[in-house]
């Protein structure tokens, strides 16, 4: 698969391009960035032609697929442009500024018979795959409660697109919360149906929220809670993902993020009779560790293999739109706060 990249400077250079280069079936053929200096630096770094205009790149370079790693407000237009040139698109998360825009985009790819996928790479983490297998085979019984916490330190930065609603679509919820929602829906294999939450600025005074907390209920009735923050120092950020069922639990620490790290503790401890002593945490968990392979390579390889098999699959693209519906609802609830 010959890849062009739009928005070469940020996550593309740090993660996606190295992922493309590690995949034996993929090849980087050109890069584009709106900032000329970035386009040139990245083009020279990887030894490929570089451009500052996506249409110019797509009309002059032979490629099969386009990776788009630009700010959220660019996603819809640039993915649509790539589709006009007949390309498959791997688009960074979130799919678009809102669910309506995302749904329109995914529909356009379905109509044209081209693949689109969204960069929710955390489901490719070996521990999350293992957690899903445990949950889906009844290993913790009926899921009662799910929790996710994902934070980083993101202070005011002049001109940062993520700190402006019109460019990023939102703050901590739009940037970090979407990963949690997508992963939870992947693990449970069902959608969040109802949600209630708060978006606030507790530490920073930029336009978008620096923290969000929400509770939810899934279609089958599992409850959950997500908290995401831009105002917790990186040095003390240790992500949490916890699933409790009526026969056991899965507790992940440090598995949310860009690397396949962390640990998962799985405990199976079904209980029959009520016990007045309520002995807690006496069951011994099984421990599993991250593989430290490359999540970005895995997700791009999966995308390539789908295209090559001719099995265009919109399941996760549709889910990315569903994720956005939950986010839209939470922003609607917080409109006037
Ligand atoms: N999946 C992940 O792990 C992950 C991590 C970080 C960012 N992201 C997503 O990737 C996207 C980019 O985020 P980032 O952190 O890399 O941002 P960034 O600002 O660091 O990098 C974006 C790059 O795009 C370029 N750019 C800006 N506007 C452009 C345009 N109109 N056309 C072409 N290039 C343009 C910028 O010059 C820059 O080089 C966002 O959607 C973000 O949510 C995903």
């Amino acid at each position: 698969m010959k890849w062009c990249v739009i928005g070469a400077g940020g996550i593309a250079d740090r993660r996606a391009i190295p992922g493309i280069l590690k995949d034996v079936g993929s090849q980087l053929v050109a890069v584009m960035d709106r900032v000329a200096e970035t386009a040139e630096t990245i083009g020279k770094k990887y030894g490929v032609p570089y451009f500052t205009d996506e249409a110019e790149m797509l009309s002059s370079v032979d490629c099969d697929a386009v990776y788009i790693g630009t700010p959220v407000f660019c996603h819809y237009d640039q993915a649509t442009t790539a589709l006009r040139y007949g390309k498959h698109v791997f688009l960074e998360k979130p799919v678009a500024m809102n669910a309506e825009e995302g749904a329109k985009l995914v529909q356009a790819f379905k109509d044209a018979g081209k693949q689109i996928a969204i960069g929710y790479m955390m489901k490719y983490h070996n521990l999350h795959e293992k957690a899903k297998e445990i949950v889906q085979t009844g290993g913790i019984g009926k899921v009662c409660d799910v929790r996710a916490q994902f934070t980083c330190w993101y202070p005011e930065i002049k001109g940062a697109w993520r700190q402006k609603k019109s460019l990023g679509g939102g703050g901590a919820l739009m940037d970090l919360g979407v990963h949690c929602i997508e992963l939870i829906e992947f693990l449970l294999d069902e959608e969040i149906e109802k949600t209630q939450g708060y978006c606030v600025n507790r530490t920073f005074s930029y336009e978008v929220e620096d923290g969000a907390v929400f509770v939810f209920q899934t279609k089958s009735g599992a409850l959950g809670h997500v908290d995401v923050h831009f105002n917790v120092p990186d040095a003390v950020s240790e992500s949490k993902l916890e699933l409790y069922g009526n026969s056991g639990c899965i507790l992940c620490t440090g598995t949310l993020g860009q690397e396949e790290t962390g640990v998962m503790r799985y405990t199976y401890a079904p209980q029959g009779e009520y016990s007045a002593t309520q002995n807690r945490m006496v069951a011994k968990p099984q421990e599993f560790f991250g593989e430290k392979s490359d999540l970005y390579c895995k997700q791009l390889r999966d995308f390539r293999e789908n295209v090559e098999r001719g099995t265009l699959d919109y399941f996760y693209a549709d889910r990315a739109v569903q994720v956005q519906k939950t986010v839209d609802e939470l922003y609607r609830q917080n409109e006037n706060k």
Side-chain angles (χ1 to χ4, degrees):
M1 178 169 275
K2 291 183 188 149
W3 289 91
C4 277
V5 168
I6 295 180
I11 191 72
D13 177 40
R14 281 197 309 281
R15 302 287 186 185
I17 296 175
I20 289 173
L21 298 179
K22 274 182 213 160
D23 175 30
V24 287
S26 289
Q27 186 191 352
L28 180 71
V29 293
V31 296
M32 175 265 164
D33 199 282
R34 196 64 91 227
V35 178
E37 201 187 324
T38 306
E40 182 176 355
T41 306
I42 306 295
K44 287 185 172 163
K45 178 174 174 182
Y46 296 106
V48 294
Y50 50 91
F51 300 82
T52 53
D53 182 88
E54 57 267 41
E56 194 192 333
M57 173 174 71
L58 295 172
S59 57
S60 58
V61 174
D62 172 31
C63 77
D64 309 298
V66 180
Y67 168 87
I68 301 176
T70 50
V72 187
F73 76 98
C74 303
H75 288 187
Y76 180 85
D77 285 347
Q78 290 178 331
T80 306
T81 301
L83 182 62
R84 238 189 352 263
Y85 282 89
K87 310 303 178 191
H88 302 289
V89 166
F90 192 98
L91 179 59
E92 263 310 335
K93 47 60 62 174
V95 57
M97 294 288 277
N98 53 55
E100 192 185 347
E101 197 182 70
K104 221 166 109 187
L105 183 63
V106 173
Q107 190 57 49
F109 278 76
K110 289 179 182 173
D111 292 344
K114 293 291 168 185
Q115 180 76 82
I116 182 166
I118 319 302
Y120 287 113
M121 75 296 176
M122 293 187 198
K123 60 179 167 288
Y124 292 89
H125 193 306
N126 70 306
L127 295 182
H128 298 153
E129 286 172 339
K130 180 77 190 161
K132 177 167 182 154
E133 184 192 316
I134 293 170
V135 170
Q136 295 304 324
T137 53
I140 59 170
K142 194 174 212 173
V143 178
C144 309
D145 185 44
V146 185
R147 291 185 191 164
Q149 182 187 65
F150 191 28
T151 65
C152 70
W153 182 250
Y154 192 50
E156 286 103 347
I157 301 169
K158 204 162 178 281
W161 62 264
R162 265 191 192 79
Q163 298 177 358
K164 275 196 82 72
K165 183 89 177 163
S166 60
L167 304 182
L173 175 62
M174 189 74 165
D175 197 51
L176 305 175
V178 289
H179 274 298
C180 300
I181 298 169
E182 208 267 347
L183 186 59
I184 289 167
E185 293 193 343
F186 166 77
L187 293 167
L188 302 187
D189 210 10
E190 64 166 334
E191 287 169 9
I192 288 175
E193 189 175 52
K194 299 183 210 163
T195 186
Q196 289 283 328
Y198 297 97
C199 297
V200 299
N201 287 77
R202 181 73 177 154
T203 305
F204 302 119
S205 54
Y206 37 66
E207 212 179 283
V208 299
E209 77 282 359
D210 63 13
V213 173
F214 59 94
V215 291
F216 63 83
Q217 184 176 336
T218 66
K219 276 201 166 144
S220 77
L223 298 176
H225 162 182
V226 171
D227 60 286
V228 285
H229 301 274
F230 274 162
N231 48 17
V232 176
D234 293 330
V236 299
S237 284
E238 193 182 44
S239 75
K240 300 282 183 204
L241 174 69
E242 305 180 351
L243 297 110
Y244 297 88
N246 57 16
S247 303
C249 73
I250 293 171
L251 308 179
C252 295
T253 305
T255 61
L256 302 184
Q258 299 185 1
E259 298 194 1
E260 206 168 1
T261 50
V263 58
M264 176 174 91
R265 294 188 177 83
Y266 163 51
T267 312
Y268 182 66
Q271 185 168 351
E273 299 285 299
Y274 167 70
S275 163
T277 56
Q278 296 188 347
N279 274 344
R280 294 179 194 281
M281 303 310 286
V282 290
K284 194 165 165 41
Q286 270 179 271
E287 282 196 331
F288 301 87
F289 296 92
E291 267 174 2
K292 296 198 170 60
S293 62
D294 187 324
L295 294 173
Y296 297 82
C297 178
K298 280 186 177 181
Q299 65 173 359
L300 292 164
R301 188 174 57 216
D302 190 32
F303 176 86
R304 174 180 61 74
E305 286 174 352
N306 264 341
V307 172
E308 286 174 357
R309 272 197 302 267
T311 50
L312 297 187
D313 182 351
Y314 299 99
F315 183 78
Y316 289 131
D318 287 334
R319 177 163 284 161
V321 173
Q322 179 60 33
V323 167
Q324 233 43 55
K325 283 186 187 160
T326 299
V327 169
D328 287 359
E329 168 57 19
L330 288 162
Y331 282 139
R332 192 198 58 72
Q333 290 170 16
N334 284 272
E335 241 161 27
N336 302 317
K337 289 186 183 150

